[in-house]
Amino acid sequence: MRITRAAAFHAAPGDGVRSMAAGEQETRRRSVEVESSSPEETRRLARRLGAEAGPGQVFALSGPLGAGKTEFARGLLEGLGVPGDEVASPTFTLINQHQGRLPVVHIDLYRLEDPGEIWDLGLDDALEAGAVAVIEWAERLGRELPAQRLHVYLDFDGGPHPAAGGAGPGGAGPGGGEAGGAEAGGAAPGAAGSRRIRLEAHGEAYVRLLDRAVTGASGR
């Protein structure tokens, strides 16, 4: 695992996403880019993030089909104390619930038709109750995406997946999201290669989380 870039910046409230912090004046951010040479490295980084996660935190996962979102989610949940073999992308149910050292809601938005439906799934109540949310295909939320979050962007090293333009929501093969595509054992081009991972911390708590987890993972 190699850190290739790190940057800190600030953003005004609103910022095109749903703010869940009343009276917020400014959101501190930090962005770190890493290269992962294997699924094991990707999962190890995610496991460290999960181990540092606190109650009510949100992990938003984005990237083309087969880039590793479900594998990253599995590592996050393992870090939260959920056995990896219990983790599958909840493509048809949209949401799975797990109990580790904290309650976890694992959400797959691949088949989401209306971004507002995310709140009908009870996400607000789950976060208020201290659950950690792991959201695959988080970009589908648009302005409904919580402003305070750790956003993880995964991509194939060397550029976007050749089929990414036709494999987005509504264009996947059998099974829909990543549970039914390359990450469930399919043979998508580039699936076995290295990954570029951009970690964007939105909010002070997530900046601290990123500092702890990435500093600890970078030398491993």
Side-chain angles (χ1 to χ4, degrees), residues 140-160:
R140 300 213 66 196
L141 285 179
R143 295 180 64 87
E144 297 293 328
L145 189 62
Q148 301 283 318
R149 68 192 187 277
L150 183 69
H151 207 137
V152 181
Y153 299 88
L154 299 103
D155 202 356
F156 297 88
D157 192 25

Side-chain angles (χ1 to χ4, degrees), residues 69-149:
K69 293 186 291 299
T70 298
E71 188 69 17
F72 200 95
R74 185 172 290 112
L76 283 170
L77 269 70
E78 287 177 342
L80 283 156
V82 178
D85 58 5
E86 293 184 10
V87 181
S89 185
T91 303
F92 295 103
T93 59
L94 292 183
I95 183 169
N96 284 338
Q97 300 186 41
H98 303 273
Q99 183 63 54
R101 63 178 178 83
L102 294 169
V104 184
V105 290
H106 181 197
I107 303 170
D108 187 324
L109 301 180
Y110 191 87
R111 296 181 180 275
L112 187 74
E113 295 181 359
D114 177 4
E117 293 177 8
I118 188 69
W119 309 111
D120 295 334
L121 295 175
L123 180 57
D124 270 339
D125 292 339
L127 294 176
E128 290 177 4
V132 174
V134 178
I135 307 174
E136 297 188 47
W137 299 98
E139 67 277 9
R140 300 213 66 196
L141 285 179
R143 295 180 64 87
E144 297 293 328
L145 189 62
Q148 301 283 318
R149 68 192 187 277

Side-chain angles (χ1 to χ4, degrees), residues 39-67:
E40 291 76 19
E41 277 197 351
T42 298
R43 195 160 164 178
R44 189 180 307 130
L45 172 61
R47 192 179 297 119
R48 292 189 63 87
L49 288 164
E52 296 287 349
Q57 292 197 317
V58 177
F59 293 84
L61 311 183
S62 296
L65 186 69

